[in-house]
């Protein structure tokens, strides 16, 4: 068996320890004689899996008691609709557009009410985060929406926007559990787990209790109402059980690694190796302003599309996979999520050095 260094933006690398443990438990989960895939979501064994997963996530993020944790399906994209359907009481919301995902979310919300795009970085291909310290937040806005880490462009909010008292809603799909977070600053934190936490098919929504009401937009389906899932502790219907089980193992892995402070330190150390190399390289260059750089997604280019393609091909041959940039921007992108080992980033930088010598 040989594993590659997988720089995919998602679904993405998971901790090898977690995969091994899941493999060991595949046929017989702890004496139940069946796989977690095969067991009732109403069984004692699964009840313990989901409650332990929730508690571990609460411990890791310091989630206060007045927030609910929901394990849902539908991808992060389903939240683009679920958020306005549940939160747009005045039918007005403010969106900060820092990339394709925030743009899509804003467009979807327009189906339900008035969307004010109060800031954007589209003028410079989303290569920076706009100053959000004094934005024209709408008086009647139900919430202010951000995508906290922009997976495609490789930018991250280092300071949360000043929402002037309005509820902050954040898509954290690509920075989930990558560093400590003050949950009390948000009304809703949500993300697809397929980047930093687990297999595709699970979306985690952390939502303040006062935002969970029956007063949703007319026609909102039962399944798209937060209250349905909050009242049933994410067991209203069959949840993505196996995915939740793997998420739970990743939470335990992060705890064993020292929690979110340790993750941040580890992620900063990894990202520094790559950014330091990019800053002095004569061939490769990063595409994002320095102060807004993501610790998770690192886009870079040579400036020559053919050379980029050659790099991606030769890197793959060297066991460094999925370095092609998003189809909308080209170039390269290295996603270096929590589970990417330091050695993987060093191997990438060594390969980039060699490629630079051969192709400059
Ligand atoms: C920041 C962000 N939001 C949303 C999405 C969409 O996620 P999904 O495919 O789970 O709908 C992605 C996917 O890459 C993403 O990176």
């Amino acid at each position: 068996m040989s594993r590659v260094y997988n720089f995919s933006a998602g679904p993405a690398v998971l901790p090898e320890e977690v995969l091994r443990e899941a493999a060991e438990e595949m046929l017989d989960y702890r004496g139940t004689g069946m796989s977690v895939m095969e067991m009732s979501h109403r069984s004692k064994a699964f009840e313990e899996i989901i409650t332990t997963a929730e508690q571990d996530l609460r411990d890791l993020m310091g989630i206060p008691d007045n927030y609910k944790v929901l394990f849902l399906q539908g991808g992060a994209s389903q939240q683009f609709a679920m958020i306005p359907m549940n939160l747009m009481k005045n039918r007005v919301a403010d969106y900060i557009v820092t990339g394709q995902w925030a743009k899509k979310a804003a467009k979807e919300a327009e189906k339900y009410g008035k969307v004010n795009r109060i800031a954007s970085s589209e003028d410079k291909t989303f290569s920076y985060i706009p100053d959000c310290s004094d934005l024209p937040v709408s008086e009647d806005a139900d919430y202010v929406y951000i995508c906290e880490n922009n997976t495609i462009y490789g930018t991250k909010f280092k300071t949360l926007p000043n929402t002037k008292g309005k509820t902050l809603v954040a898509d954290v799909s690509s920075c989930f559990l990558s560093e400590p977070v003050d949950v009390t600053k948000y009304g809703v934190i949500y993300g697809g787990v397929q980047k930093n936490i687990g297999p595709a098919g699970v979306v985690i929504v952390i939502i303040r209790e006062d935002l969970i009401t029956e007063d949703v937009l007319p026609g909102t389906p039962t399944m798209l109402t937060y209250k349905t899932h909050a009242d049933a502790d994410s067991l209203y219907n069959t949840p993505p059980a196996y995915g939740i089980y793997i998420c739970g193992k990743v939470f335990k892995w992060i705890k064993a690694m020292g929690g979110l402070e340790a993750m941040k330190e580890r992620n900063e150390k990894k990202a520094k190796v790559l950014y330091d190399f990019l800053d002095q390289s004569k061939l490769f260059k990063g595409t994002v302003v320095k102060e807004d750089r993501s610790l998770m997604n690192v886009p870079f280019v040579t400036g020559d599309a053919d050379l980029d393609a050659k790099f991606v091909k030769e890197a793959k041959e060297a066991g460094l996979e999925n370095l092609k940039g998003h189809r909308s921007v080209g170039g390269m992108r290295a996603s270096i999520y929590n589970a990417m080992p330091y050695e993987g980033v060093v191997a990438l930088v060594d390969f980039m050095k060699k490629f630079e010598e051969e192709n400059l």
Side-chain angles (χ1 to χ4, degrees):
M1 184 202 69
S2 86
R3 282 178 56 82
V4 296
Y5 287 123
N6 178 8
F7 295 92
S8 169
V13 57
L14 286 171
E16 203 169 301
E17 296 91 320
V18 166
L19 298 176
R20 284 186 193 285
E21 231 182 82
E24 275 165 27
E25 293 173 348
M26 180 61 78
L27 296 180
D28 177 7
Y29 176 74
R30 302 188 184 175
T32 58
M34 62 180 89
S35 162
V36 174
M37 265 184 237
E38 302 168 300
M39 76 181 40
S40 164
H41 58 291
R42 310 271 175 213
S43 64
K44 265 230 131 358
F46 187 73
E47 191 188 313
E48 196 191 326
I49 288 170
I50 192 166
T51 52
T52 307
E54 176 175 338
Q55 191 54 53
D56 284 336
L57 181 63
R58 285 184 175 277
D59 296 347
L60 281 169
M61 294 178 72
I63 300 173
D65 288 346
N66 64 326
Y67 284 74
K68 285 272 186 195
V69 174
L70 310 176
F71 295 96
L72 307 180
Q73 305 192 54
S77 301
Q78 186 162 282
Q79 295 306 309
F80 299 171
M82 211 162 157
I83 287 159
M85 283 174 150
N86 284 266
L87 303 190
M88 255 193 188
K89 315 287 184 205
N90 297 328
R91 301 238 185 192
V92 178
D94 289 353
Y95 279 70
I96 299 174
V97 181
T98 53
Q100 297 301 344
W101 297 115
K103 202 172 161 176
K104 277 194 173 172
K107 187 154 182 278
E108 185 73 2
E110 268 176 341
K111 291 189 168 181
Y112 305 100
K114 183 161 168 19
V115 168
N116 301 307
R117 292 170 179 78
I118 56 171
S120 167
S121 52
E122 193 161 16
D123 59 335
K124 291 186 182 152
T125 336
F126 299 119
S127 59
Y128 69 103
I129 299 289
D131 176 2
C132 297
S133 57
D134 186 19
L135 295 173
V137 175
S138 313
E139 285 221 337
D140 50 353
D142 292 304
Y143 58 88
V144 176
Y145 182 101
I146 61 168
C147 176
E148 194 162 331
N149 185 83
N150 297 284
T151 326
I152 297 175
Y153 299 95
T155 57
K156 157 112 205 302
F157 280 83
K158 301 291 163 79
T159 321
L160 292 175
N162 175 1
T163 63
K164 303 187 178 171
K166 301 294 179 194
T167 297
L168 178 65
V169 174
D171 173 358
V172 299
S173 295
S174 49
C175 60
F176 228 150
L177 301 180
S178 62
E179 56 185 288
V181 52
D182 180 355
V183 175
T184 64
K185 293 200 166 131
Y186 305 78
V188 181
I189 302 177
Y190 80 92
V193 304
Q194 67 269 26
K195 296 161 197 303
N196 241 345
I197 305 181
V202 184
V203 181
I204 297 176
V205 177
I206 300 157
I207 177 167
R208 217 176 51 225
E209 272 172 357
D210 60 284
L211 298 170
I212 306 171
T213 66
E214 271 163 7
D215 175 25
V216 296
L217 297 188
T220 299
T222 307
M223 276 294 287
L224 298 188
T225 303
Y226 288 128
K227 193 165 190 313
T228 303
H229 301 285
D231 287 351
D233 294 324
S234 302
L235 292 170
Y236 170 74
N237 71 326
T238 318
Y242 195 80
I244 293 168
Y245 155 76
I246 299 291
C247 292
K249 287 202 179 299
V250 173
F251 300 151
K252 290 263 184 244
W253 178 79
I254 297 175
K255 274 187 153 180
M257 298 283 285
L260 299 191
E261 280 294 347
M263 274 299 131
K264 179 171 191 243
E265 224 172 272
R266 180 180 145 97
N267 289 327
E268 281 174 346
K269 189 172 161 217
K270 282 188 297 185
K272 187 174 187 317
V273 175
L274 187 46
Y275 285 126
D276 281 355
F277 172 73
L278 287 172
D279 286 343
Q280 59 74 59
S281 171
K282 292 192 175 55
L283 182 63
F284 299 100
K285 67 169 198 303
T287 55
V288 165
V289 303
K290 277 191 189 174
E291 53 277 21
D292 299 327
R293 283 170 163 174
S294 165
L295 292 179
M296 299 283 98
N297 311 98
V298 184
F300 56 94
V301 293
T302 64
D304 172 342
D306 291 340
L307 204 52
D308 288 350
K310 183 172 184 236
F311 175 83
V312 171
K313 180 172 174 285
E314 290 182 9
K316 182 176 165 66
E317 286 159 11
L320 307 165
E321 291 247 9
N322 291 318
L323 283 161
K324 195 165 182 290
H326 188 268
R327 60 189 184 280
S328 66
V329 290
M332 280 75 73
R333 171 179 50 173
S335 294
I336 49 175
Y337 296 121
N338 283 349
M340 171 58 65
Y342 178 76
E343 295 73 27
V345 183
V346 171
L348 171 62
V349 169
D350 285 347
F351 181 80
M352 289 168 80
K353 282 181 190 158
K354 184 168 142 290
F355 189 87
E356 178 166 323
E357 278 162 23
E358 289 167 2
N359 291 277
L360 203 60

